[in-house]
Amino acid sequence: METKKIVVGNLKTKMDINDISKYLKIINEQVIDKEVIICPTSIYIPYFLKQRYSVGLQNTFVNDEGTYTGEITPKQAVSMGIKYTIIGHSERRIHLDETDELINRKVISAINSNMRVILCVGETLEEKQLLKTDMVLRRQLVNALNGLSIDMLDNVTIAYEPVWAIGTNNVASNKEIARTANYIRMILHQNRGYENMRVIYGGSVNEQNIKELNQIENISGFLVGGASNDAKKFLKIIEEVVVNQ
Ligand code: PEP
């Protein structure tokens, strides 16, 4: 298992090209760490390549070969030097009806093309209130990682992203996050015989709460959405987690 913490920036679909060029002026000059993985909207990816940080996609397609209009295959991503892909983000599960089964096929396809997968899992507010968090996480993990060998699992990082925490300013407590990270590791151990899975947290992480969140001992980094779209806020988060580690 890699021991250095990572920070993943999910830029989603908020910035246009003018915003991107202002953003890059700051980011390209200051971010020099391979442990920072920036995932821009795919049309802007070429502007982010060949820098000192890493680049990821927000999604990759389920197959490598064939004609699938509008999609990006893992093989194409790798040919551009892109190593990471986010799979199973809750916005895709919700708005694009991505199922556990589809997510599993995407994970396998990406790893078979030598990509590293950031697999998002997390419960909704309703599931949390019904005390179904553990059940939901177990289902998402077991299904998404079905059929993966130990070697394949080495290329997976689990992002625990409670849906109720994404873009809401409702951050999970350190205690909740630590407990859930342990639970995720236990599932991986029980179900796949895999030890010490790397687990990161995402959900309303920002430049103000990062110091406290970074105290959680069993977390290997953070997935940042909204705050990663602001270069100065993102730099503060990077400094706290990656630069000072
Ligand atoms: C995300 O969408 O992955 C995310 C963590 O968003 P935010 O940081 O805005 O909650």
Side-chain angles (χ1 to χ4, degrees), residues 10 12 89 91 161 165-168 202-205 223-227:
N10 176 9
K12 308 198 192 196
H89 193 282
E91 286 159 9
E161 294 214 303
I166 295 182
T168 58
S204 294
V205 175
L223 174 46
V224 188

mmCIF file of all heavy atoms in Angstrom, residues 10 12 89 91 161 165-168 202-205 223-227, ligand 1:
data_model
loop_
_atom_site.group_PDB
_atom_site.id
_atom_site.type_symbol
_atom_site.label_atom_id
_atom_site.label_comp_id
_atom_site.label_asym_id
_atom_site.label_seq_id
_atom_site.Cartn_x
_atom_site.Cartn_y
_atom_site.Cartn_z
ATOM 1 N N ASN A 10 -11.863 17.080 -7.829
ATOM 2 C CA ASN A 10 -12.883 16.763 -8.832
ATOM 3 C C ASN A 10 -13.475 18.085 -9.317
ATOM 4 O O ASN A 10 -14.299 18.691 -8.635
ATOM 5 C CB ASN A 10 -13.968 15.883 -8.184
ATOM 6 C CG ASN A 10 -15.111 15.597 -9.139
ATOM 7 O OD1 ASN A 10 -15.037 15.897 -10.324
ATOM 8 N ND2 ASN A 10 -16.175 15.013 -8.603
ATOM 9 N N LYS A 12 -15.421 18.645 -11.697
ATOM 10 C CA LYS A 12 -16.809 18.503 -12.175
ATOM 11 C C LYS A 12 -17.025 19.284 -13.479
ATOM 12 O O LYS A 12 -16.185 19.222 -14.365
ATOM 13 C CB LYS A 12 -17.806 18.931 -11.094
ATOM 14 C CG LYS A 12 -17.562 18.250 -9.759
ATOM 15 C CD LYS A 12 -18.767 18.352 -8.875
ATOM 16 C CE LYS A 12 -18.404 17.924 -7.465
ATOM 17 N NZ LYS A 12 -19.561 17.646 -6.640
ATOM 18 N N HIS A 89 -18.967 7.774 -8.982
ATOM 19 C CA HIS A 89 -19.336 9.001 -8.252
ATOM 20 C C HIS A 89 -20.856 9.042 -8.092
ATOM 21 O O HIS A 89 -21.597 8.681 -9.001
ATOM 22 C CB HIS A 89 -18.839 10.236 -9.008
ATOM 23 C CG HIS A 89 -18.917 11.478 -8.176
ATOM 24 N ND1 HIS A 89 -20.100 12.155 -7.966
ATOM 25 C CD2 HIS A 89 -17.968 12.144 -7.470
ATOM 26 C CE1 HIS A 89 -19.866 13.188 -7.173
ATOM 27 N NE2 HIS A 89 -18.584 13.202 -6.860
ATOM 28 N N GLU A 91 -22.943 11.376 -8.231
ATOM 29 C CA GLU A 91 -23.686 12.160 -9.227
ATOM 30 C C GLU A 91 -23.967 11.308 -10.465
ATOM 31 O O GLU A 91 -24.991 11.469 -11.116
ATOM 32 C CB GLU A 91 -22.907 13.435 -9.582
ATOM 33 C CG GLU A 91 -22.991 14.450 -8.446
ATOM 34 C CD GLU A 91 -21.905 15.508 -8.437
ATOM 35 O OE1 GLU A 91 -21.123 15.604 -9.399
ATOM 36 O OE2 GLU A 91 -21.828 16.243 -7.423
ATOM 37 N N GLU A 161 -17.621 8.777 0.273
ATOM 38 C CA GLU A 161 -18.279 10.052 0.022
ATOM 39 C C GLU A 161 -19.754 9.940 0.373
ATOM 40 O O GLU A 161 -20.578 9.593 -0.495
ATOM 41 C CB GLU A 161 -18.159 10.421 -1.462
ATOM 42 C CG GLU A 161 -16.756 10.693 -1.928
ATOM 43 C CD GLU A 161 -16.750 11.784 -2.993
ATOM 44 O OE1 GLU A 161 -17.415 11.644 -4.022
ATOM 45 O OE2 GLU A 161 -16.073 12.787 -2.752
ATOM 46 N N ALA A 165 -23.182 14.574 2.275
ATOM 47 C CA ALA A 165 -22.097 15.524 2.580
ATOM 48 C C ALA A 165 -21.587 16.227 1.320
ATOM 49 O O ALA A 165 -20.837 17.195 1.409
ATOM 50 C CB ALA A 165 -20.947 14.789 3.268
ATOM 51 N N ILE A 166 -21.991 15.749 0.154
ATOM 52 C CA ILE A 166 -21.423 16.307 -1.081
ATOM 53 C C ILE A 166 -22.094 17.631 -1.440
ATOM 54 O O ILE A 166 -23.309 17.681 -1.636
ATOM 55 C CB ILE A 166 -21.537 15.295 -2.239
ATOM 56 C CG1 ILE A 166 -20.676 14.073 -1.919
ATOM 57 C CG2 ILE A 166 -21.129 15.925 -3.559
ATOM 58 C CD1 ILE A 166 -20.657 13.032 -2.989
ATOM 59 N N GLY A 167 -21.279 18.674 -1.479
ATOM 60 C CA GLY A 167 -21.758 19.997 -1.868
ATOM 61 C C GLY A 167 -22.764 20.612 -0.898
ATOM 62 O O GLY A 167 -23.507 21.520 -1.268
ATOM 63 N N THR A 168 -22.813 20.146 0.326
ATOM 64 C CA THR A 168 -23.844 20.605 1.268
ATOM 65 C C THR A 168 -23.293 21.393 2.452
ATOM 66 O O THR A 168 -24.071 21.949 3.223
ATOM 67 C CB THR A 168 -24.589 19.391 1.868
ATOM 68 O OG1 THR A 168 -23.608 18.555 2.512
ATOM 69 C CG2 THR A 168 -25.346 18.608 0.809
ATOM 70 N N GLY A 202 -14.385 12.153 1.069
ATOM 71 C CA GLY A 202 -14.868 13.298 0.292
ATOM 72 C C GLY A 202 -16.247 13.716 0.756
ATOM 73 O O GLY A 202 -17.076 12.862 1.119
ATOM 74 N N GLY A 203 -16.506 15.011 0.718
ATOM 75 C CA GLY A 203 -17.809 15.539 1.112
ATOM 76 C C GLY A 203 -17.626 16.838 1.868
ATOM 77 O O GLY A 203 -17.335 16.821 3.064
ATOM 78 N N SER A 204 -17.725 17.974 1.118
ATOM 79 C CA SER A 204 -17.626 19.314 1.717
ATOM 80 C C SER A 204 -16.306 19.574 2.433
ATOM 81 O O SER A 204 -16.262 20.322 3.423
ATOM 82 C CB SER A 204 -18.818 19.580 2.652
ATOM 83 O OG SER A 204 -20.011 19.626 1.896
ATOM 84 N N VAL A 205 -15.240 18.954 1.937
ATOM 85 C CA VAL A 205 -13.907 19.284 2.463
ATOM 86 C C VAL A 205 -13.556 20.685 1.948
ATOM 87 O O VAL A 205 -13.746 20.976 0.764
ATOM 88 C CB VAL A 205 -12.847 18.271 1.957
ATOM 89 C CG1 VAL A 205 -11.449 18.686 2.402
ATOM 90 C CG2 VAL A 205 -13.186 16.863 2.435
ATOM 91 N N LEU A 223 -10.917 13.600 -1.256
ATOM 92 C CA LEU A 223 -11.475 13.911 -2.581
ATOM 93 C C LEU A 223 -12.253 15.212 -2.407
ATOM 94 O O LEU A 223 -13.178 15.286 -1.598
ATOM 95 C CB LEU A 223 -12.374 12.754 -3.046
ATOM 96 C CG LEU A 223 -13.174 12.896 -4.338
ATOM 97 C CD1 LEU A 223 -12.357 13.452 -5.489
ATOM 98 C CD2 LEU A 223 -13.727 11.536 -4.750
ATOM 99 N N VAL A 224 -11.836 16.214 -3.158
ATOM 100 C CA VAL A 224 -12.382 17.558 -2.954
ATOM 101 C C VAL A 224 -13.112 18.001 -4.208
ATOM 102 O O VAL A 224 -12.534 18.000 -5.304
ATOM 103 C CB VAL A 224 -11.237 18.561 -2.648
ATOM 104 C CG1 VAL A 224 -11.799 19.911 -2.252
ATOM 105 C CG2 VAL A 224 -10.312 18.020 -1.557
ATOM 106 N N GLY A 225 -14.369 18.386 -4.066
ATOM 107 C CA GLY A 225 -15.143 18.866 -5.206
ATOM 108 C C GLY A 225 -15.121 20.382 -5.258
ATOM 109 O O GLY A 225 -14.177 20.993 -5.758
ATOM 110 N N GLY A 226 -16.167 21.006 -4.704
ATOM 111 C CA GLY A 226 -16.326 22.463 -4.778
ATOM 112 C C GLY A 226 -15.062 23.254 -4.473
ATOM 113 O O GLY A 226 -14.664 24.122 -5.256
ATOM 114 N N ALA A 227 -14.394 22.954 -3.374
ATOM 115 C CA ALA A 227 -13.226 23.758 -2.969
ATOM 116 C C ALA A 227 -12.041 23.577 -3.919
ATOM 117 O O ALA A 227 -11.157 24.431 -3.972
ATOM 118 C CB ALA A 227 -12.819 23.422 -1.539
HETATM 119 C C1 PEP B 1 -17.368 15.384 -4.852
HETATM 120 O O1 PEP B 1 -18.222 15.708 -5.652
HETATM 121 O O2 PEP B 1 -16.653 14.378 -5.056
HETATM 122 C C2 PEP B 1 -17.206 16.186 -3.649
HETATM 123 C C3 PEP B 1 -16.492 15.707 -2.657
HETATM 124 O O3 PEP B 1 -17.808 17.403 -3.660
HETATM 125 P P1 PEP B 1 -17.739 18.543 -2.516
HETATM 126 O O4 PEP B 1 -16.319 18.622 -2.051
HETATM 127 O O5 PEP B 1 -18.193 19.782 -3.207
HETATM 128 O O6 PEP B 1 -18.653 18.097 -1.439
#
